[in-house]
Amino acid sequence: MRKYVFLCILPFIFSLYAAGISDLEKKFIKGNIQDKTQAVKDASEQEGLKLSIRGIDFILENSSIAGDDRDFSALAVASLLNLPKDGTSLEKNFPAVTEKMVRLFEIFGDETVRISIIDRFESLSNSKSFSKVLNMMNSCLKEPGENFNNSPVTKKTVEFLGDFGNGESFILVYDLWKKNTCPDFSSEVEDALVSLASSNITESIKLISSITFGEIGDFFELIDNSSKVSPDFKAEIAENALLATIHYMEDESKGYGAGISSAEGEKLASIQLRLLNAVARAKWTRGAALSVRFFDIARDEYQKSYLNDDQFIQVIEDVASLAAQNAAQTLSAYLAEINADTEKNVVSARNVVLAVINSLGELGDKTAFDNLLYVTYLNYTEDIKSAARNSLSKLKW
């Protein structure tokens, strides 16, 4: 019987030598799972890819028992670490590598294995099958497992999606951030959200139109405080966010903000001020017309004391700096109202009056001539009259 068995395996042994298989490959083929793991670890760079592929294929062939087994986990990590970091080379020499990596991730719950797999996913971002990776990574956030909130795998997944995620990833990470689901690595969630927002501008704008003004303020504050995104991106988000808050106030069911409490009004006005200023700082001309539209709302907020003098002056200066086609007409009309109040001995804040007059001079639009000239005839202090004469001299004819 022994002679028969020996004769049966003899052709296989000879085939190993005939094929020029290395000693490590023989060790892998003939050995137990610990031997296979050691063979992969000991492999040179040249042999490493071949043995890593053998290791991964062996795990997939035995997937029904591999998931909860430490020895299989050790083989998986060793095999993953020996794969080349260059994605092009990896795909060329390892057919269906993306699909096999996805299957490995699904098989193992071990954190070390999963993190090692995600590390390899990064090199496959140009793969034609990369959408399968994103779908699986997104599903990890949609269907959280045990210890999700403080799991290193969750942290790694968030960081990965921050670099390579899509529109769905943005919404999922936003939800994590809004709910503070993962306080142990909140800064990584914030970084991922900012990165995803800038690479998924359409989804960012859709989100802004669907959340409350308080949530808009929180989201934009995160964007505005980041040094990793451009002023233009901040301005585009600010423009759309400001428009969303205007829609909120113009909602007929609220009667132009009538349903807003004083505390809410102050909070909303503060948010809008920051949004307008971001548009102005970036000289985002696409938001110029919106700034004029907002001016009427800001004037109402000022009258209700939601904005103080300094804040309203900022609005005036921002509107002027954006120089929309009708900015001068709008500010001139406001100066006409101030003049009418002055005729009735109703005193307006000196710095606000000066801000309007100086802004009209900077704009240089001759439509402001009559109202600026009228200032010099009214009972204003000399510094205001002097500012009016200076602005008159700057008008373009």
Side-chain angles (χ1 to χ4, degrees), residues 10 30 68 94 129 141 204 264 287 295 315 321 326 336 354 374:
L10 191 60
K30 296 166 61 178
D68 297 321
F94 190 177
S129 303
L141 300 189
S204 297
E264 287 177 320
F295 182 79
V315 172
S321 71
N326 55 342
L354 284 171
Y374 198 36

Side-chain angles (χ1 to χ4, degrees), residues 31-49:
N32 58 31
I33 190 166
Q34 289 90 352
D35 293 332
K36 295 181 190 301
T37 301
Q38 194 60 49
V40 174
K41 287 180 177 179
D42 293 341
S44 64
E45 184 176 344
Q46 185 175 0
E47 289 182 302
L49 175 60

Side-chain angles (χ1 to χ4, degrees), residues 59 110 131 223 238 284 292 326 335 372:
I59 293 167
D110 182 276
S131 60
I223 298 296
W284 187 250
V292 174
N326 55 342
L335 180 58
L372 284 171

Side-chain angles (χ1 to χ4, degrees), residues 61-77:
E61 288 165 7
N62 297 276
S63 59
S64 60
I65 60 172
D68 297 321
D69 188 280
R70 290 184 180 180
D71 290 330
F72 274 97
S73 293
L75 176 59
V77 172

Side-chain angles (χ1 to χ4, degrees), residues 109-335:
D110 182 276
E111 290 181 343
T112 303
V113 177
R114 285 194 153 193
I115 289 172
S116 299
I117 294 170
I118 296 173
D119 282 335
R120 288 296 169 265
F121 280 156
E122 294 176 5
S123 64
L124 297 170
S125 58
N126 294 320
S127 166
K128 292 180 181 179
S129 303
F130 192 65
S131 60
K132 295 179 180 178
V133 173
L134 286 183
N135 288 340
M136 187 180 64
M137 291 288 93
N138 286 337
S139 70
C140 289
L141 300 189
K142 282 192 291 188
E143 302 164 8
E146 189 178 355
N147 300 321
F148 173 84
N149 295 6
N150 57 6
S151 166
V153 176
T154 304
K155 178 182 176 183
K156 187 70 176 178
T157 300
V158 167
E159 292 173 331
F160 174 84
L161 290 175
D163 291 331
F164 303 103
N166 54 19
E168 183 183 14
S169 312
F170 166 70
I171 297 301
L172 291 167
V173 174
Y174 172 79
D175 196 53
L176 290 183
W177 172 75
K178 184 178 76 170
K179 295 176 180 177
N180 194 27
T181 304
C182 305
D184 288 351
F185 43 92
S186 58
S187 62
E188 286 80 3
V189 173
E190 289 178 355
D191 288 345
L193 181 57
V194 170
S195 177
L196 284 164
S198 63
S199 60
N200 294 276
I201 184 67
T202 301
E203 284 74 14
S204 297
I205 293 170
K206 285 180 182 178
L207 173 75
I208 288 168
S209 66
S210 66
I211 57 181
T212 68
F213 72 79
E215 290 168 341
I216 288 174
D218 292 340
F219 178 59
F220 182 72
E221 182 178 6
L222 176 68
I223 298 296
D224 199 29
N225 287 338
S226 174
S227 60
K228 298 179 181 179
V229 292
S230 69
D232 281 357
F233 172 70
K234 293 178 183 181
E236 186 167 5
I237 291 294
E239 176 198 358
N240 284 277
L242 182 58
L243 179 61
T245 65
I246 290 173
H247 285 160
Y248 178 84
M249 294 194 72
E250 291 178 345
D251 189 334
E252 292 181 3
S253 66
K254 294 180 175 62
Y256 194 66
I260 301 175
S261 69
S262 177
E264 287 177 320
E266 290 181 10
K267 181 177 181 180
L268 177 55
S270 177
I271 291 169
Q272 291 172 322
L273 186 68
R274 183 167 191 166
L275 296 171
L276 175 65
N277 190 240
V279 173
R281 284 199 317 268
K283 300 191 181 304
W284 187 250
T285 53
R286 277 169 43 183
L290 185 64
S291 73
V292 174
R293 181 177 170 185
F294 172 64
F295 182 79
D296 287 335
I297 292 175
R299 187 177 62 179
D300 183 64
E301 291 173 333
Y302 177 57
Q303 290 171 348
K304 292 177 179 177
S305 298
Y306 296 163
L307 292 173
N308 60 34
D309 290 353
D310 290 339
Q311 290 173 319
F312 188 49
I313 288 169
Q314 182 183 313
V315 172
I316 294 166
E317 292 174 347
D318 286 347
V319 170
S321 71
L322 287 164
Q325 188 174 5
N326 55 342
Q329 293 92 320
T330 299
L331 292 178
S332 182
Y334 183 57
L335 180 58

